[in-house]
Amino acid sequence: MKIVFTGTESTYKSTLAKAIADEFSLNYVPEYARTYLEDIAPSTPVDPMPRQDYDRIEEGQLLSQKTNGYFTRNAPGVFDTDGTVLYIWKKDKFGETDTQLLEIPEDIIYFLCHPNVEAGPDPLRVDAERREELHAQYQAVLSALPNRIIHLNENTLEGRVAKAQQVIRGLLNDAV
């Protein structure tokens, strides 16, 4: 089972992805942007982000997906974001539409995290006040894909984890 947690910033994506990967003993693949901005190039400005840094993040994210089985049919894993995030980010910040970022394998199952939870403090967050607007973009992009989308709109992290676990158990039972 290949799962992607996606959505706007500050919606528990990373925490959910780690919890689900642990619960179901699946490989966890972190969001490359956070790795880049915290570990590789921590002095990178985030608002606005220089284009060359975005390009490095995009390249790193796509390489991480490739090396972790994202494009391999039926390779299991849990991904903390994917090309959909890059597609929306690139369109929003640089005014460019890059449909190659939406070449998504059909076996990806999306968990779209709704921004109805408080945005916690984080120096990497720049669009906390625009989460609803950006969420509508995620809904539009994902609804155009053939992939299954599960909406996580519970008001707590615990509620989202419980729903994701329930859905995944159901999918695993259906696969048997």
Side-chain angles (χ1 to χ4, degrees), residues 92-112:
D92 186 61
K93 299 301 181 190
F94 302 106
E96 296 178 27
T97 302
D98 186 348
T99 57
Q100 288 183 331
L101 294 171
L102 297 180
E103 292 175 3
I104 311 293
E106 289 187 19
D107 62 336
I108 296 287
I109 299 168
Y110 280 102
F111 283 81
L112 175 60

Side-chain angles (χ1 to χ4, degrees), residues 2 16 21 23 27 34 60 81 91 94 101 108 114 149 161:
K2 212 171 331 182
L16 285 161
E23 175 72 19
N27 183 41
R34 184 165 291 279
T81 73
K91 186 177 180 184
F94 302 106
L101 294 171
I108 296 287
H114 195 280
I149 304 161
V161 169

Side-chain angles (χ1 to χ4, degrees), residues 3-132:
I3 298 165
V4 172
F5 286 89
T6 195
T8 67
E9 58 191 45
S10 198
T11 55
Y12 302 134
K13 295 182 304 293
S14 299
T15 305
L16 285 161
K18 289 174 192 171
I20 293 303
D22 286 347
E23 175 72 19
F24 293 96
S25 299
L26 295 167
N27 183 41
Y28 165 71
V29 183
E31 175 188 20
Y32 187 79
R34 184 165 291 279
T35 300
Y36 181 85
L37 294 169
E38 288 181 344
D39 301 332
I40 297 169
S43 61
T44 301
V46 293
D47 191 23
M49 177 177 287
R51 177 56 189 261
Q52 68 269 17
D53 289 294
Y54 167 82
D55 289 342
R56 289 183 191 117
I57 289 168
E58 181 178 302
E59 180 181 316
Q61 177 68 35
L62 294 175
L63 179 61
S64 177
Q65 289 173 204
K66 183 178 180 181
T67 59
N68 285 285
Y70 180 90
F71 296 103
T72 305
R73 182 124 180 101
N74 297 321
V78 178
F79 294 80
D80 178 0
T81 73
D82 72 348
T84 57
V85 170
L86 298 169
Y87 176 86
I88 291 167
W89 193 2
K90 195 174 206 176
K91 186 177 180 184
D92 186 61
K93 299 301 181 190
F94 302 106
E96 296 178 27
T97 302
D98 186 348
T99 57
Q100 288 183 331
L101 294 171
L102 297 180
E103 292 175 3
I104 311 293
E106 289 187 19
D107 62 336
I108 296 287
I109 299 168
Y110 280 102
F111 283 81
L112 175 60
C113 299
H114 195 280
N116 60 339
V117 294
E118 185 177 341
D122 185 335
L124 300 182
R125 292 196 172 93
V126 297
D127 286 317
E129 73 287 345
R130 296 181 56 226
R131 292 186 310 153
E132 286 292 340

